[in-house]
Amino acid sequence: MIFFYYISTFLYFIAISLGIIFLYKPNFLGIQYVRYFIYTAFIFLSIFLLGTGLKHNMLPVLGIFYALLFYIWSITFVYIIIESYFKISFIIVSIIPLLLIFLIISLFLISPYPNFTLYLKNYWFALHIITAFLGYAIFSIGVVVAILLILMDKQLKNKRFNRFFQLYPPMETLQKLNETLLSLAFPIFSVSIVVGLILGHIYKDWDNINWFFDPKVISSLLTWIFYAILLIMKNLRMLSIKKTAYYTLVGFFLILLTFLGMSFIEIGPHSYLSK
Amino acid sequence: MALFLIGLNYKTAPLPIREKMAFRELEIPNILKAIKEKFPQFEVVLLSTCNRIEIYLSSQNLNEELEPIISFICDYKQINLLEVKKFLYIYREREVVYHIFSVASSIDSLIVGEAEILGQVKKAYDIALEEKTTGKILNALFQKSINVGKSVRSNTKIGEGKISTSSVAIDFASKLFQQLEDKSVLVIGAGKISEITLRHLIKKRIQKILIINRTYEKTLYLAEKFKGIPLRWEFLHEGLLSADIVVSSTSSSNCIIQRDLIKKIMLQRRNRPIFMIDLAIPRDIEPSVQDIDGVYLYNIDDLKNVAEENKNERQREIVECETYITQETESFISWLTMLNITPIFEKIDENIEKIKKEELNRLFHKLPSLSEKEKEEISYAIERVVNKIFHSPKIKIKEHITKNDGELYLKIFKDIFN
């Protein structure tokens, strides 16, 4: 099964390389080649995760290695949906750095599937995880879009244009995409938190765990509050495009803290799940 | 097979002459048919744009007289030959190939890197193809020139970046807004620059144009002319509130739009971005407006600098384009010369065969005692000798075809072997 992971990683790296070539020589290589390799890598990663899930009869997200892979899978999945709807080819090149970082990290964390408790083999848990990861993925792509917005704004303001300027989609397009992503991610993430709270209540007597003082739960709630405020301010148009983009970056920092950071704190019940 | 070009363009002929000689698209099929009827030995393609009128010809005869064709066209256009002749250029062979490749690549254009010319070359070829006035040579030449034009555009930066200030401004606005058609534009001022700007905006199919000026009569005049909405000067604030793009070009000696006004406007606009173009000298819009979030301000110098930089970039690309075009020209000339060589080699082979047969007949007649096998061996030996003698010259000619002296070698070869 790990063979599919290696193939997938290899294909992702080819896609990333092609994406970098496209940035410097857009006429030399069409962006569709990057897309083909990403799609193929996605298929192989799906096979690996599906196989692992079927083998252990649960969603394959336990341990930091599998969690990272599921996150990479989620980002790719969300990207495929966005691209078919928004038709912004440049996005694929923009998410490449994100994929690259997490793929490289995953290479250092390869490990067998951890032991787990039967408590985690239920649909509530699956729903909690899927919505959490989808939420993370959408927020992550949102941050890529936010970075593009900030770069475009800087270039238009300073009238100094880099070689990629002509490749970027218009700011209005990026702004609409960013707003859509925030509006989509927030309810999905909210569902994850609500289901997580339900799970915490159901399993409050499991191994004497107090879910509500888990660092990841607290961090998630803080992230949720942050995004709620951001969305309210955005909808009331209290923020400029640039400020919304910067706050999106702050939100992503909170996402990283929640998703990755808290997994390395060895207190609380989520830390058990991350090993 | 020979190539010729008769033409005049913006470099050699003034506008009145080009206007007299130009052909509208609907006229071209008729003139092509007329030329083909009068001069059936030629393949013909006519390229007529606002900046050039060029007739491409091909025939079997390298030494064709072109004067009759020039006279014919002048008669057709009812223009005095002497009036036009001094503006004409006539190219032959390699010059024709290099020229059409340069034209299709837009490096011979008034605005280097312009996108329209490739389409115009293609259109000219399509019309000639439809009228059946092309043949093997011009088909190959124009198909190749279109490919060269496409390659140059996709592999170099010759067509990148806008080079007029108004198109640079529109370009930047297009990087801010998804589409311009549904945006509203406020034009401040009713002078010549505003008129030019309005013409560009109309081309971009912008639906909502607000026009404002201190003198309301002038505002009304422009609004009627360009189907805009006139605003009285006191409604400047409202105009700024609703516009997505603002173009200002008044003759005011002071700034008419200050930073504080824009700050207030942006709050009321709820942070909707605004693109402002200040074409006035002295400036109409206070420069510090640029620092406000969501405001993108470009003055005439900003636009000129970008246009100039883009122009320079295109100029730098010309060198690379010329190198590529030279390579492609040589490649095409080699192909053309090979095309010329093949019938010559065939003719020589034919002559050799004839001489060989005659001499063998004479020999066998003189030596009747030769057996069939002996006759066979003698025939075979003579064939081998002849092939060996001519093999090396043919190889040499083919080698030199790809070099500049290929045509010379061919000429000498033809002369030697009559």
Side-chain angles (χ1 to χ4, degrees), chain A residues 27 153 156-157 168 171-172, chain B residues 154 175 290 292 295-296:
Chain A
N27 292 326
D153 176 77
L156 281 170
K157 279 278 192 187
Y168 296 162
M171 269 185 80
E172 195 179 15
Chain B
S154 56
K175 290 311 274 185
Q290 162 72 359
I292 300 171
V295 178
Y296 302 92

Side-chain angles (χ1 to χ4, degrees), chain A residues 25 27-28 152-153 155-159 161 163-173 175-176 235-243, chain B residues 153-156 160 171-172 174-179 183 269-273 275 289-299 302 306:
Chain A
K25 287 252 173 198
N27 292 326
F28 176 72
M152 281 284 278
D153 176 77
Q155 289 187 65
L156 281 170
K157 279 278 192 187
N158 298 334
K159 293 137 195 166
F161 309 102
R163 62 193 301 143
F164 311 127
F165 181 71
Q166 289 299 335
L167 295 174
Y168 296 162
M171 269 185 80
E172 195 179 15
T173 308
Q175 182 200 358
K176 280 186 185 160
N235 287 334
L236 292 175
R237 295 201 172 275
M238 292 167 70
L239 298 171
S240 64
I241 301 175
K242 191 175 80 172
K243 282 199 177 112
Chain B
R153 286 200 77 78
S154 56
N155 297 330
T156 70
E160 284 180 19
D171 208 31
F172 286 136
S174 304
K175 290 311 274 185
L176 182 58
F177 301 115
Q178 201 165 333
Q179 50 191 33
K183 298 292 174 283
R269 286 169 65 90
R270 301 241 193 136
N271 292 300
R272 245 178 342 114
F275 189 75
V289 155
Q290 162 72 359
D291 302 329
I292 300 171
D293 250 356
V295 178
Y296 302 92
L297 173 62
Y298 284 73
N299 62 41
D302 296 327
V306 174

